[in-house]
Amino acid sequence: MPELLTPATVYVLAAVLLPFVPRGVLRQLVPVLVPLAGIAIFWPLQPGTYGTFNVMGMHIGLMRIDDLSRIFGLIFSVAAFLSAIYAWHVRDTIQQVAGLLYAGSAIGAVFAADLVALFVFWEGTAIASVFLIWARRTEGAFATGMRYLIIQVGSGVILMAGVVLLYFDTGSVAFSRMQLDSLAAWAIFIAFGIKCAFPLLHNWMHDAYPAATVSGTVILSVFTTKLAVYALLRGFAGTELLIYIGATMALFPVFFALAENDLRRVLTYSLNSQLGFMVVGAGIGTPLAINGSIAHAVCSVLYQALLFMGIGAVLHRTGTARATALGGLYRTMPLTMIFCLVGGASIAAFPFLSGFVSKSLILSASGYEKHLYVWLALLLASAGAFLHTGLRLPWLAFFGSDSGKRPKEAPVHMHLAMGLTALLCIGIGVFPAVLYGLLPNDVAYEPYTVSHILSQLQLLAFVALAFALSVKLRFFPQAARGLLLDTDWIYRRPLSAILGGMRYLVSGSWRFAARVTTGRVDRFIAGVYRAHGPQGPLARTWPTGSMVLWIAVLLGMTLVLTYI
Amino acid sequence: MSNSTRLVLALAVLCAGLAAADFFHHRHSYFPLEARTGFYAVFGLFMGALLLIAAKAAGALLRRGENYYAPHSVEAEAHPEADLGRENADA
């Protein structure tokens, strides 16, 4: 009998029962307590695989506990806990259930020991999360959710295809290290890449995340992409291709993040860029780099959630997250501003904040492996992160030109969630040994050397100087209304126009063919009716005399023919 | 002198101080390029400026109206009130 008590079961069970819990404090408590229960289940377990059974000759394992799954399980649970506190005000059952199912699927996927269980949870995250977008309940959100769902489920289908091919090749569905040498491995790699928002496969993310509800975006920012990072670390660590993908990924969202008007989309681009760092770490694949990638995933979950919470609070109070409609909010939302600054400083890797202790690992790893251009790209992306998220975002929302808006401070529960998250960001920065102790590889690393701190401070100060000068010269960062075209333009405009044209062609030719065919069939039926209908010559009743006459004619013709 | 000018000057002084520290501390470096005096200062200032200029250009090139994808996008819509808790600060 397999042990079925896994964190994922608890989440799913809670999601099923939640609608029956009476509305009120009890109902709001469920999403807060479930993550704690989840941690209580997996944390005490010794490394090993639990919940194993055989299905159709395949070996399924629901709970693989090792250093890698344990730390991802932990940070996902913590993030689920924090976002549940943040969403305390939400009374929408759909969002509560979707949030639980989404977090449960992501945690289930992290613990899955085989690719079949991974696939099930992989699709679970896709289907559950789309409801956080649809919960906005507008036409635009519905269309956005559809696009998101198609791509996410598509990733799952490609994963399934890869798993099937792999099973035929090797006879095993175990989820372990793979080489990019077969179609199966490539399919799985691309499925992971879609969810990880590789360059050109990334557009679902910036399209969908800013379309979700206030608390929905916070939850979305945590799971899907970091699950993909986990999957890459588990399946493709040390794949060189990932280094170059990651470097591109770290760099190119920077420009969008610097120009975008919707601040939640700015954060989505900045999240995309941070994922690039993790992918580089996975690609380098040395023990230090792997540690760095995991540590950065942990820190990034926290500071990115903190930032989404902060801007979410602004949206909650003002009704907009557009930079052009904001500015000067520090007067009435000082605490939210401080939390955003902590998040911004963390992503910018200020010493004694979480980003510093995790980003250093990846930069050092690329330095040790002598990847000069990758290292430069990451350094540039770091400078960019400080510019777009550490400086431009708080400037546009809380300082800058006064929008005249005087919103009330965020509700207490949002402050509590942001405060706890900010504390974790600071705590990890001040006591990195606690985080390093949870990482799988035993590598001695000291982030706080004079060289590191000094060079990072120099970089940040000069980037800040560039920013300050550009503001002073009125070159930047004035936001402008409007949206930025990204590669999703291809399928939202020309491709959809081509598809529309093809639909027109196909439906036109179908109509033409149908008209011609029905015309012919109609004429045929009319002909039959003419001959056999009530008035038709073949349906008439004939007098016996004419029948005898015709028989005589027939016999006569037979006689003539016989003699010819 | 306005406050903002003072702020920029203070920042410039801080930058100068940090850059000067390079002369007193030999950096532990991974690449010869990085070991050069003032690498991070020059990189930060110039790359920061370059990013800002590039982003401005990208914005000019790629920006479209909010209704560009309407009605299939959320840009053209207001955030639904049901999801908000609008309140103004007490005057």
Side-chain angles (χ1 to χ4, degrees), chain B residues 9-86:
Chain B
L9 278 180
L11 190 60
V13 170
L14 177 76
C15 286
L18 283 167
D22 260 14
F23 293 106
F24 306 105
H25 173 74
H26 180 71
R27 200 180 3 254
H28 170 81
S29 58
Y30 304 106
F31 305 101
L33 176 70
E34 186 203 358
R36 290 191 191 176
T37 310
F39 168 78
Y40 282 94
V42 173
F43 189 92
L45 189 65
F46 283 90
M47 286 304 177
L50 189 79
L51 282 179
L52 291 175
I53 294 167
K56 190 124 180 161
L61 202 67
L62 298 173
R63 186 167 288 115
R64 297 290 184 275
E66 273 164 4
N67 291 326
Y68 186 75
Y69 290 125
H72 303 298
S73 86
V74 292
E75 275 85 19
E77 301 171 343
H79 199 89
E81 288 297 328
D83 189 41
L84 302 176
R86 277 191 212 241

Side-chain angles (χ1 to χ4, degrees), chain A residues 340-365:
Chain A
C340 272
L341 288 180
V342 172
S346 297
I347 197 175
F350 265 88
F352 304 105
L353 283 165
S354 61
F356 183 81
V357 300
S358 58
K359 211 179 271 183
S360 307
L361 290 171
I362 299 173
L363 278 166
S364 295

Side-chain angles (χ1 to χ4, degrees), chain A residues 265 317 322 370 475 493, chain B residues 30 56 68 75 77 85:
Chain A
R265 186 161 288 129
R317 282 299 191 219
R322 293 196 182 100
K370 298 293 170 208
F475 175 75
R493 275 302 176 91
Chain B
Y30 304 106
K56 190 124 180 161
Y68 186 75
E75 275 85 19
E77 301 171 343

Side-chain angles (χ1 to χ4, degrees), chain A residues 207-237:
Chain A
D207 183 14
Y209 282 9
T213 58
V214 168
S215 55
T217 305
V218 176
I219 303 174
L220 281 170
S221 78
V222 173
F223 296 108
T224 300
T225 49
K226 255 65 79 178
L227 169 61
V229 167
Y230 159 81
L232 285 172
L233 282 167
R234 172 80 72 191
F236 295 99

Side-chain angles (χ1 to χ4, degrees), chain A residues 27-373:
Chain A
R27 158 105 54 117
Q28 301 310 105
L29 265 178
V30 173
V32 179
L33 295 179
V34 166
L36 301 179
I39 297 178
I41 289 172
F42 74 81
W43 197 253
L45 291 179
Q46 292 299 316
T49 306
Y50 304 85
T52 54
F53 50 93
N54 282 314
V55 178
M56 293 179 284
M58 289 177 296
H59 197 61
I60 307 290
L62 292 178
M63 281 275 278
R64 165 167 47 190
I65 306 284
D66 59 12
D67 288 338
L68 183 59
S69 63
R70 195 194 282 262
I71 188 162
F72 272 92
L74 179 67
I75 189 60
F76 279 4
S77 306
V78 170
F81 171 73
L82 293 168
S83 52
I85 297 179
Y86 184 78
W88 185 267
H89 66 284
V90 174
R91 295 287 180 272
D92 181 3
T93 313
I94 291 182
Q95 282 189 64
Q96 291 174 323
V97 171
L100 279 172
L101 285 176
Y102 182 32
S105 306
I107 293 169
V110 161
F111 286 117
D114 65 281
L115 289 161
V116 175
L118 180 77
F119 164 77
V120 171
F121 290 121
W122 196 263
E123 290 290 36
T125 58
I127 294 163
S129 59
V130 76
F131 285 95
L132 297 172
I133 299 161
W134 283 341
R136 186 171 167 146
R137 297 185 173 85
T138 61
E139 189 185 357
F142 176 74
T144 309
M146 269 306 189
R147 286 194 294 275
Y148 171 82
L149 191 63
I150 289 170
I151 294 175
Q152 293 293 305
V153 170
S155 151
V157 171
I158 297 171
L159 176 64
M160 186 79 247
V163 176
V164 170
L165 287 172
L166 192 77
Y167 185 62
F168 275 114
D169 286 350
T170 63
S172 159
V173 290
F175 182 24
S176 50
R177 276 278 284 113
M178 283 171 266
Q179 299 291 339
L180 277 180
D181 53 4
S182 64
L183 191 60
W186 272 103
I188 295 172
F189 184 75
I190 288 170
F192 291 174
I194 293 174
K195 272 222 203 282
C196 197
F198 280 1
L200 303 182
L201 303 176
H202 69 283
N203 32 45
W204 58 269
M205 190 163 98
H206 72 82
D207 183 14
Y209 282 9
T213 58
V214 168
S215 55
T217 305
V218 176
I219 303 174
L220 281 170
S221 78
V222 173
F223 296 108
T224 300
T225 49
K226 255 65 79 178
L227 169 61
V229 167
Y230 159 81
L232 285 172
L233 282 167
R234 172 80 72 191
F236 295 99
T239 304
E240 199 189 346
L241 181 62
L242 284 176
I243 302 176
Y244 309 110
I245 292 176
T248 319
M249 201 167 151
L251 209 47
F252 101 105
V254 170
F255 305 103
F256 289 92
L258 278 170
E260 176 62 49
N261 187 29
D262 184 339
L263 294 182
R264 294 204 293 173
R265 186 161 288 129
V266 170
L267 289 175
T268 311
Y269 279 117
S270 103
L271 168 60
N272 201 178
S273 167
Q274 295 303 305
L275 289 166
F277 284 82
M278 300 166 216
V279 172
V280 168
I284 294 173
T286 58
L288 180 68
I290 300 284
N291 272 3
S293 192
I294 299 167
H296 203 53
V298 171
C299 297
S300 159
V301 163
L302 293 171
Y303 59 65
Q304 212 78 46
L306 177 57
L307 288 158
F308 273 112
M309 286 179 190
I311 294 303
V314 169
L315 171 63
H316 185 73
R317 282 299 191 219
T318 64
T320 182
R322 293 196 182 100
T324 39
L326 297 171
L329 300 187
Y330 75 92
R331 295 178 179 85
T332 55
M333 299 185 85
L335 270 175
T336 309
M337 172 205 79
I338 290 170
F339 292 136
C340 272
L341 288 180
V342 172
S346 297
I347 197 175
F350 265 88
F352 304 105
L353 283 165
S354 61
F356 183 81
V357 300
S358 58
K359 211 179 271 183
S360 307
L361 290 171
I362 299 173
L363 278 166
S364 295
S366 62
Y368 287 130
E369 300 305 310
K370 298 293 170 208
H371 287 293
L372 175 62
Y373 291 107

